[in-house]
Amino acid sequence: MTSNCETFEHTADVGLKAQADSLEELFCALAQGLGNYICPNSQVRKNQSRPLTVKADDLESLAVDFLGEVLGVVQFDHFLVAEVHVSKITDTEIWAQVIGEPYDPTRHEISAEVKAVTYHQLQVARQDDKWVANVILDI
């Protein structure tokens, strides 16, 4: 399994740039990258999980909607992300588990607040033998 995700600056926003061998790994990398941007994954224990099932019209919309659901778990459930596991993905639906724990102000440092996942300069594509994605986050 080879995947990675890094952030890049974009005017008043920040972007996630990921690449992976498979579509499942790509979506995991994006979700973990989002979680890590908000609170470093190294601070988050892997002792609980939250199931997510997301449907969308196409693969790009699925990426935005899925990351929006992960962001919702963080914002509304106060549940921080350590890992994400995708059990199944199609061009229009994803089944995943968000692994982590509830926010604890005595142990977790929130690095950034993300307002939304945007469609601006969105890319999810197969390039050569890799899957690649760019997603801009509104901060």
Side-chain angles (χ1 to χ4, degrees):
M1 173 181 354
T2 304
S3 64
N4 67 31
C5 185
E6 58 190 46
T7 59
F8 62 91
E9 297 301 317
H10 182 274
T11 56
D13 298 326
V14 69
L16 296 175
K17 181 176 187 164
Q19 70 172 5
D21 291 334
S22 71
L23 193 54
E24 291 87 354
E25 291 172 4
L26 183 72
F27 274 65
C28 288
L30 287 170
Q32 288 170 189
L34 172 62
N36 189 60
Y37 183 71
I38 295 168
C39 177
N41 300 122
S42 60
Q43 295 180 8
V44 183
R45 296 179 185 146
K46 304 172 192 173
N47 57 15
Q48 293 182 27
S49 69
R50 300 281 193 278
L52 287 181
T53 301
V54 180
K55 294 181 183 184
D57 293 333
D58 54 44
L59 193 55
E60 290 80 12
S61 297
L62 186 62
V64 171
D65 292 352
F66 174 63
L67 291 175
E69 288 293 321
V70 172
L71 182 59
V73 167
V74 174
Q75 290 178 331
F76 303 118
D77 296 344
H78 307 287
F79 187 82
L80 300 178
V81 178
E83 289 181 1
V84 176
H85 299 282
V86 173
S87 57
K88 184 177 177 186
I89 189 169
T90 69
D91 287 348
T92 58
E93 196 163 5
I94 186 170
W95 294 263
Q97 291 286 329
V98 177
I99 313 296
E101 68 177 330
Y103 171 66
D104 178 349
T106 65
R107 288 191 316 99
H108 299 124
E109 180 182 336
I110 302 300
S111 305
E113 180 182 331
V114 176
K115 295 177 189 171
V117 181
T118 75
Y119 283 89
H120 182 67
Q121 297 181 345
L122 175 65
Q123 176 195 23
V124 178
R126 182 95 173 144
Q127 289 183 352
D128 299 321
D129 62 341
K130 297 276 187 197
W131 280 95
V132 296
N134 288 320
V135 179
I136 303 293
L137 306 174
D138 182 11
I139 54 171

